[in-house]
Amino acid sequence: MINKVFCIDDDQITLVLCDMVIKKSGFAKDVITAQNGKEGLAWFSAYFSKTNTGPKPNPPEVIFLDLNMPVMNGWDFLEDYLMKYAERIPETKVVILSSTVNPEDFLRANRYDIVIDFINKPLTAEGLDELKENDQLNGYF
């Protein structure tokens, strides 16, 4: 089981549904959320700026990322994340979770090594079962 996933989506209902499905299916113990890419980056900034002397909590192993969001979309988040944080937590992988039907989005997602899957909304237990079979996650299950 994965310890922590991070869901970034502007739709509150999608975030609640993801939390329920992820926990109920035994995919992850903890789910954290952000409502746009800017909030997602702020979470990572705060995570890496913590100066306490105790051990740092584990980062999320998987980021479920929506593409079409206000303030900062998924692609912009991904670019900033890659520049600032990806090398510091190379075990964290990204799964695009989107309702897009634009073929360009699928092609673009394939250009990123960190993106391990592209799932159409809504997130389902079946979709998570398939994701558990991903070579880059099978050590968790």
Side-chain angles (χ1 to χ4, degrees):
M1 179 184 288
I2 289 175
N3 285 316
K4 187 182 297 177
V5 298
F6 195 0
C7 296
I8 304 175
D9 197 300
D10 62 313
D11 181 50
Q12 190 62 36
I13 293 170
T14 296
L15 292 175
V16 170
L17 178 65
C18 285
D19 184 46
M20 272 183 10
V21 172
I22 288 167
K23 289 178 179 171
K24 189 172 183 175
S25 69
F27 187 81
K29 295 176 190 169
D30 191 25
V31 178
I32 51 177
T33 62
Q35 293 191 346
N36 59 60
K38 187 174 180 181
E39 283 183 17
L41 291 173
W43 186 92
F44 282 103
S45 176
Y47 176 83
F48 284 108
S49 68
K50 290 183 180 164
T51 57
N52 62 17
T53 57
K56 190 179 286 276
N58 291 334
E61 289 94 348
V62 174
I63 301 169
F64 287 99
L65 180 63
D66 186 22
L67 297 178
N68 300 312
M69 297 179 285
V71 183
M72 177 184 275
N73 69 36
W75 297 123
D76 291 340
F77 166 85
L78 191 57
E79 289 295 329
D80 273 11
Y81 175 83
L82 286 169
M83 286 190 311
K84 297 175 183 173
Y85 307 114
E87 286 185 8
R88 297 163 84 177
I89 46 175
E91 66 279 1
T92 299
K93 303 301 178 194
V94 174
V95 174
I96 303 296
L97 179 63
S98 181
S99 57
T100 186
V101 293
N102 184 345
E104 287 298 314
D105 287 331
F106 295 96
L107 293 172
R108 188 172 180 185
N110 284 328
R111 294 185 203 131
Y112 295 94
D113 290 337
I114 195 170
V115 176
I116 62 168
D117 208 342
F118 199 116
I119 299 175
N120 288 317
K121 286 182 182 178
L123 186 62
T124 63
E126 294 80 15
L128 289 175
D129 286 342
E130 289 178 21
L131 190 56
K132 288 177 184 179
E133 301 299 319
N134 187 295
D135 290 341
Q136 297 193 47
L137 297 181
N138 62 10
Y140 293 103
F141 303 100

